[in-house]
Amino acid sequence: AAIHRILRQQRTDGEEMEVSSVFLRNFYVDRAEEYFDGDLPYGRADDFIDELLQTAPAVLRTNDGKTGFIDPLGAAESIIRMRNEVAMEWKETMARVQEDHTGIRQALLTDSMQYWGGEGEEGISSGSGDDDGGAGNLSFQ
């Protein structure tokens, strides 16, 4: 997620053809299958960062003729900073889960109470004969 965000941000900022952006995109694309695709062991993305850190700085010429210095250490630093931002966003999102699910829990409880209390069409006393385990006609959209 971090690398994708960096590349999207560079594209939005009009930097996608800059040498540093071309380097990061090519480095990522060449190794995506090895480090990111499929069922991989935990920490595989860290191996990507390790390989990036072991890459020697060099001069790169892009297809449109731009020449510049690549900074693998700077690219790794950007990825790690973006990972931190992503982690903080997930932390905030997870902190709101209980609050976000209050409406769902309330709907489930209300429906269960109607089912077991004999109220409404789904109730035991209605004689409908349908045993839906207390789910009633609750639907999620």
Side-chain angles (χ1 to χ4, degrees), residues 16-78:
E16 78 179 315
M17 294 314 294
E18 296 295 321
V19 172
S20 61
S21 182
V22 170
F23 164 72
L24 179 59
R25 184 182 64 236
N26 291 346
F27 192 88
Y28 171 72
V29 168
D30 290 346
R31 292 159 182 81
E33 186 175 339
E34 179 181 354
Y35 292 110
F36 300 103
D37 291 347
D39 186 19
L40 300 171
Y42 179 77
R44 200 67 179 129
D46 292 333
D47 295 340
F48 174 84
I49 295 290
D50 287 342
E51 185 175 341
L52 183 58
L53 290 171
Q54 292 174 21
T55 302
V59 175
L60 174 73
R61 183 179 176 102
T62 64
N63 290 338
D64 65 348
K66 290 184 182 178
T67 302
F69 180 73
I70 62 164
D71 180 17
L73 182 62
E77 181 180 359
S78 295

Side-chain angles (χ1 to χ4, degrees), residues 68-139:
F69 180 73
I70 62 164
D71 180 17
L73 182 62
E77 181 180 359
S78 295
I79 293 168
I80 292 168
R81 286 182 192 276
M82 186 60 74
R83 277 183 170 183
N84 187 49
E85 286 182 36
V86 170
M88 290 287 122
E89 288 175 16
W90 273 101
K91 182 180 175 182
E92 291 170 11
T93 299
M94 293 297 102
R96 291 190 308 264
V97 166
Q98 185 173 356
E99 177 184 313
D100 292 345
H101 288 187
T102 300
I104 295 170
R105 283 196 238 137
Q106 183 178 12
L108 288 170
L109 178 62
T110 300
D111 196 61
S112 293
M113 295 302 287
Q114 287 177 347
Y115 180 83
W116 294 110
E119 298 176 17
E121 296 176 7
E122 297 86 26
I124 294 173
S125 63
S126 69
S128 66
D130 293 336
D131 183 10
D132 61 5
N137 60 5
L138 179 65
S139 64

